[in-house]
Amino acid sequence: MESQAVVSDSQEMDALNQLFQNQLLVNQVPQSVWGVLLSLSPNDYKTVLLERTKPTRSGNSSHTSSSPSRSTSKFGYFIGRHKSCDIRIQNLHISNRHCLIYRVESEGSDSEAQTGSSKVYLEDTSTNGTYVNGERVGRNASVELQDGDEIQLVRYQPAKDMAYFSDRFYVFQNLDLHRSEPCLFKQSYLLADQLGKGAFAQVRVAINRVTGERYAAKIIDRNRITQIEKRKKLDENFRVETSILSRVRHPSIVQVHGVF
């Protein structure tokens, strides 16, 4: 006899709503937080929320490559080994003050602010170099950071007898951009490596854009199923699977953390 799980609507909703209570999503973060340095090696480097802003009187958002002024440094985030740095990383190949990340916000109208007049910069103050998307920035030079840019503080070079360390540091997330995304899943998670693939679905690493927590995301492409009856069956199987797994709490059973 075929077994079937029967769950009431109220039970399902309570279980699914509970999934999101332990997660911090983009739409729950204060508006003052404009960016995230999302750790690509969470066992070695912590994810960092960014909210300091340096206002400028002029509406001109251009920037020079000169060294940061004291006022700019105050509103930015220094990364390095020194105890005064906002983000400290204990690695002998990283400079005391390796680089500075800061945001310059134009004092234009509200409509200008909404169209993205604010810009985020990374200034390289290191000896060994800072890399954005594999390109070296250059000492005392600045580069504008875009959403999804990968920041590499130093490169691991085994030929130089370096002790091993992970040289995948951060990927920049522009929360101002993601807050406007209507799809809650895309707004909240960054899709990374593919873990598996089937006829109608794929499994990929999904990284929480705020906390850096990693999950396995099963993505089902319903458009690949053209027959209505088969699609209905798939939808029902999906409903039953999520309703069961959302209520299961066992170390040997995969737990659902969200349904979109």
Coordinates of all heavy atoms in Angstrom, one line a residue, residues 34 37 50 100-102 119-123 132-133 143-151 172 174:
W34 N 24.5 49.3 3.8 CA 24.5 49.4 2.4 C 25.3 48.3 1.6 O 25.1 48.2 0.4 CB 25.0 50.8 1.9 CG 26.3 51.2 2.6 CD1 26.4 52.0 3.7 CD2 27.7 50.8 2.3 NE1 27.8 52.2 4.1 CE2 28.5 51.5 3.2 CE3 28.2 50.0 1.3 CZ2 29.9 51.3 3.2 CZ3 29.6 49.9 1.2 CH2 30.4 50.5 2.2
L37 N 30.6 42.5 3.0 CA 31.7 41.7 2.5 C 31.4 40.3 2.8 O 31.6 39.8 4.0 CB 33.0 42.2 3.2 CG 33.5 43.6 2.8 CD1 34.8 43.9 3.6 CD2 33.7 43.8 1.3
L50 N 28.5 46.5 6.2 CA 29.1 47.8 6.0 C 28.0 48.9 6.1 O 26.9 48.7 5.4 CB 29.8 47.9 4.6 CG 30.8 46.8 4.3 CD1 31.2 46.9 2.9 CD2 32.0 46.8 5.3
L100 N 41.4 50.0 2.1 CA 40.3 50.8 2.7 C 39.1 50.7 1.8 O 39.2 50.9 0.6 CB 40.7 52.2 2.8 CG 39.6 53.2 3.3 CD1 39.3 53.0 4.8 CD2 40.1 54.7 3.1
I101 N 37.9 50.3 2.4 CA 36.7 50.3 1.6 C 35.8 51.4 2.2 O 35.6 51.4 3.4 CB 36.0 48.9 1.7 CG1 36.9 47.8 1.0 CG2 34.6 48.9 1.1 CD1 36.4 46.4 1.2
Y102 N 35.2 52.2 1.4 CA 34.4 53.3 1.9 C 33.3 53.6 0.8 O 33.5 53.3 -0.4 CB 35.2 54.5 2.3 CG 36.0 55.1 1.1 CD1 35.6 56.2 0.5 CD2 37.3 54.6 0.8 CE1 36.3 56.8 -0.6 CE2 38.0 55.1 -0.2 CZ 37.6 56.2 -0.9 OH 38.3 56.8 -1.9
K119 N 28.5 55.8 -4.4 CA 29.5 54.9 -5.0 C 30.4 54.3 -3.9 O 30.6 55.0 -2.9 CB 30.3 55.5 -6.1 CG 29.5 56.0 -7.3 CD 30.4 56.6 -8.3 CE 29.6 57.1 -9.5 NZ 29.0 56.0 -10.2
V120 N 30.8 53.1 -4.1 CA 31.7 52.4 -3.1 C 33.0 52.2 -3.8 O 33.2 51.8 -4.9 CB 31.1 51.0 -2.7 CG1 32.0 50.3 -1.7 CG2 29.7 51.2 -2.1
Y121 N 34.1 52.5 -3.0 CA 35.5 52.4 -3.5 C 36.3 51.5 -2.6 O 36.1 51.4 -1.4 CB 36.1 53.8 -3.5 CG 35.4 54.8 -4.4 CD1 34.4 55.6 -4.0 CD2 35.8 54.8 -5.8 CE1 33.8 56.5 -4.8 CE2 35.2 55.7 -6.6 CZ 34.2 56.6 -6.2 OH 33.5 57.4 -7.0
L122 N 37.3 50.9 -3.2 CA 38.4 50.2 -2.5 C 39.7 50.9 -2.9 O 40.0 51.1 -4.1 CB 38.4 48.7 -2.9 CG 39.5 47.9 -2.3 CD1 39.1 46.5 -2.0 CD2 40.8 47.9 -3.1
E123 N 40.4 51.3 -1.9 CA 41.7 51.9 -2.0 C 42.8 50.9 -1.5 O 42.8 50.5 -0.4 CB 41.8 53.2 -1.3 CG 43.2 53.9 -1.5 CD 43.2 55.3 -1.2 OE1 42.1 55.9 -1.1 OE2 44.3 55.9 -1.1
V132 N 41.0 43.0 -7.3 CA 39.6 42.9 -7.5 C 39.3 42.2 -8.8 O 39.8 42.6 -9.9 CB 39.0 44.4 -7.6 CG1 37.5 44.3 -7.9 CG2 39.2 45.1 -6.2
N133 N 38.6 41.1 -8.7 CA 38.3 40.3 -9.9 C 39.6 39.9 -10.6 O 39.7 39.8 -11.8 CB 37.4 41.0 -10.9 CG 36.0 41.3 -10.2 OD1 35.5 40.5 -9.4 ND2 35.4 42.4 -10.6
V143 N 39.6 51.9 -6.9 CA 38.7 51.3 -7.9 C 37.3 51.3 -7.3 O 37.1 51.0 -6.1 CB 39.2 49.9 -8.3 CG1 39.1 48.9 -7.1 CG2 38.3 49.3 -9.4
E144 N 36.3 51.6 -8.2 CA 34.9 51.5 -7.7 C 34.5 50.1 -7.7 O 34.7 49.3 -8.6 CB 34.1 52.3 -8.7 CG 32.6 52.3 -8.3 CD 31.7 53.1 -9.3 OE1 32.2 53.8 -10.2 OE2 30.5 52.9 -9.1
L145 N 33.9 49.7 -6.6 CA 33.4 48.4 -6.4 C 32.0 48.2 -6.9 O 31.1 49.0 -6.7 CB 33.4 48.0 -4.9 CG 34.7 47.7 -4.2 CD1 34.5 47.3 -2.8 CD2 35.5 46.6 -5.0
Q146 N 31.8 47.1 -7.7 CA 30.5 46.8 -8.2 C 29.9 45.5 -7.5 O 30.7 44.7 -7.0 CB 30.5 46.5 -9.7 CG 31.1 47.7 -10.5 CD 30.3 48.9 -10.6 OE1 29.1 48.8 -10.3 NE2 30.9 50.0 -10.8
D147 N 28.6 45.4 -7.5 CA 28.0 44.2 -6.8 C 28.6 42.9 -7.5 O 28.7 42.8 -8.7 CB 26.5 44.2 -7.0 CG 25.8 43.0 -6.4 OD1 25.8 42.9 -5.1 OD2 25.4 42.2 -7.2
G148 N 29.0 42.0 -6.6 CA 29.6 40.8 -7.1 C 31.1 40.8 -7.3 O 31.6 39.7 -7.7
D149 N 31.7 41.9 -7.1 CA 33.2 41.9 -7.3 C 33.9 41.1 -6.2 O 33.5 41.2 -5.0 CB 33.7 43.4 -7.2 CG 33.5 44.2 -8.5 OD1 33.1 43.6 -9.5 OD2 33.7 45.4 -8.5
E150 N 34.9 40.3 -6.6 CA 35.6 39.5 -5.7 C 36.9 40.2 -5.2 O 37.6 40.7 -6.1 CB 36.0 38.1 -6.3 CG 36.7 37.2 -5.3 CD 36.9 35.8 -5.8 OE1 36.2 35.4 -6.7 OE2 37.8 35.1 -5.2
I151 N 37.1 40.3 -3.9 CA 38.2 41.0 -3.4 C 39.2 40.0 -2.8 O 38.9 39.2 -2.0 CB 37.8 41.9 -2.2 CG1 36.8 43.0 -2.8 CG2 39.0 42.6 -1.6 CD1 36.1 43.8 -1.7
F172 N 31.9 41.3 -2.8 CA 31.1 42.5 -2.3 C 29.6 42.4 -2.8 O 29.3 42.1 -3.9 CB 31.7 43.8 -2.9 CG 30.9 45.0 -2.6 CD1 30.7 45.5 -1.3 CD2 30.3 45.7 -3.7 CE1 30.0 46.6 -1.1 CE2 29.5 46.8 -3.4 CZ 29.3 47.3 -2.1
N174 N 26.1 44.6 -2.9 CA 25.5 45.9 -2.8 C 24.1 45.8 -2.4 O 23.2 45.4 -3.2 CB 25.6 46.6 -4.1 CG 25.1 48.1 -4.1 OD1 24.3 48.4 -3.2 ND2 25.5 48.9 -5.0

